[in-house]
Amino acid sequence: MTAGPHATTARPSWLAGYLLALAAGATWGTTGPLSTGLYALMPATSIGFWRVFLGTICIALWALAFRRDLFRVDTRGWLLVGVGGGLLVAVFELAYQFAIGGAGVAGAAAMLYTAPVIVAVLARLLLKEALTAARLLLAVIVMAGVALTVTGGSNAGAEAARLGLTAGIAGGLLSALSYAGTTLLARFAVPRYGSLRVLFLEAVGGVVILGIVLTLTGRAPTPPPSLAAWRGLGLLTAGSVLAANLFFFAAVKRIEAAPAAVAATIEPVVGTVLALLLFAQHLSGLGWVGLIMVVAGVAAGYLQEAKPREQ
């Protein structure tokens, strides 16, 4: 059947949206390998603060030079995106550190990637997006594949029980909820304020909240101690804070929140491959099965989203 005018214009937008979500996930996948080298140089909580702070400064300087309208935001935007989105950013940065310390790297990543299922359910309740059986099944398959991938790695459990399993589970669930919340907030706010303004407001809010919380808890952010630390933070800022978020916000302008979240779960696959190449880590048989499940789930999501637009 020949596609009509609407279909020919809609298809490129959908295709671009899905590819942008994949690009966001792949860029986020560099976070783990880059952070690994920084853990020996400075506290993990300081890494989280500084990468968001540097991203905020970069956006602010660019806006002063080229887009001063970026600073013009209504009160609703500051409250919803600046405070609400900033709180989600701060919760994620802190909760994920507790998850790693209490449940280990593999356990933390497995719990984090329950987020696609959370997004699929909440997108139905809050945004009235369709919750089809196929969409939910694909989210579960990808989530299960991620769990197998990260638990099958050679570094599984290396940091487990440092803070206690209860703290690890609480941190993992909070990080997943905050990740899901950020996805849903982007779906609502980006069409109204634009992707760059949403990123800027969330970053400003996150920096302020992180600075206050860390200082009050006796863990005030410490400056990077060396040129190597600054270089690592610069790479983290350019990738996981700026490029990845811009990719993802651009994606959710074109496709719905649930498939965007599923596509972005390519992140741990990229992280695993980089770990194999850079740190000589290996995957068990189940780990490779999980990797295949993630790739297959993302590919199936691509085909599933294409069907309604080709009719």
Side-chain angles (χ1 to χ4, degrees):
M1 182 182 297
T2 303
H6 177 72
T8 57
T9 56
R11 180 178 174 82
S13 178
W14 160 80
L15 179 60
Y18 206 86
L19 291 176
L20 284 165
L22 287 172
T27 308
W28 274 319
T30 65
T31 304
L34 287 173
S35 297
T36 300
L38 284 170
Y39 289 147
L41 301 176
M42 57 191 301
T45 50
S46 291
I47 293 172
F49 171 84
W50 280 100
R51 67 175 186 147
V52 178
F53 178 78
L54 291 176
T56 306
I57 295 299
C58 289
I59 297 174
L61 290 176
W62 179 85
L64 282 173
F66 304 105
R67 282 279 308 275
R68 295 197 175 186
D69 63 295
L70 194 68
F71 302 108
R72 293 196 291 271
V73 185
D74 57 28
T75 303
R76 185 187 184 191
W78 277 111
L79 291 176
L80 177 66
V81 187
V83 177
L87 181 61
L88 290 171
V89 169
V91 168
F92 178 83
E93 292 292 343
L94 295 179
Y96 200 49
Q97 298 305 320
F98 278 93
I100 293 172
V105 175
M111 286 184 286
L112 173 62
Y113 279 90
T114 60
V117 174
I118 296 173
V119 167
V121 174
L122 292 182
R124 171 58 182 152
L125 296 175
L126 301 178
L127 303 180
K128 307 304 180 184
E129 293 184 2
L131 181 59
T132 63
R135 177 175 286 177
L136 187 58
L137 177 61
L138 286 174
V140 172
I141 289 173
V142 171
M143 178 189 68
V146 169
L148 288 174
T149 301
V150 296
T151 56
S154 60
N155 65 335
E159 300 181 20
R162 181 164 60 86
L163 292 177
L165 186 58
T166 301
I169 292 174
L173 293 176
L174 279 174
S175 63
L177 284 170
S178 60
Y179 180 93
T182 300
T183 301
L184 295 171
L185 180 61
R187 180 67 177 171
F188 175 82
V190 167
R192 292 162 175 79
Y193 298 104
S195 58
L196 189 60
R197 186 177 283 110
V198 168
L199 175 58
F200 177 67
L201 292 176
E202 286 188 341
V204 170
V207 166
V208 172
I209 294 171
L210 277 172
I212 293 173
V213 171
L214 291 175
T215 300
L216 291 177
T217 56
R219 298 186 179 186
T222 57
S226 65
L227 180 60
W230 279 110
R231 184 167 55 246
L233 284 170
L235 291 173
L236 273 175
T237 300
S240 63
V241 176
L242 298 176
N245 281 290
L246 289 175
F247 285 149
F248 193 73
F249 288 152
V252 296
K253 289 176 66 176
R254 294 167 172 83
I255 59 176
E256 293 182 352
V262 171
T265 54
I266 199 70
E267 172 189 348
V269 178
V270 173
T272 300
V273 171
L274 288 176
L276 291 171
L277 296 175
L278 299 176
F279 305 114
Q281 295 179 0
H282 66 272
L283 280 176
S284 66
L286 284 177
W288 283 112
V289 169
L291 194 65
I292 293 170
M293 288 174 64
V294 173
V295 174
V298 171
Y302 178 97
L303 296 174
Q304 184 66 30
E305 286 299 303
K307 287 180 181 179
R309 296 167 174 79
E310 291 181 342
Q311 294 176 349

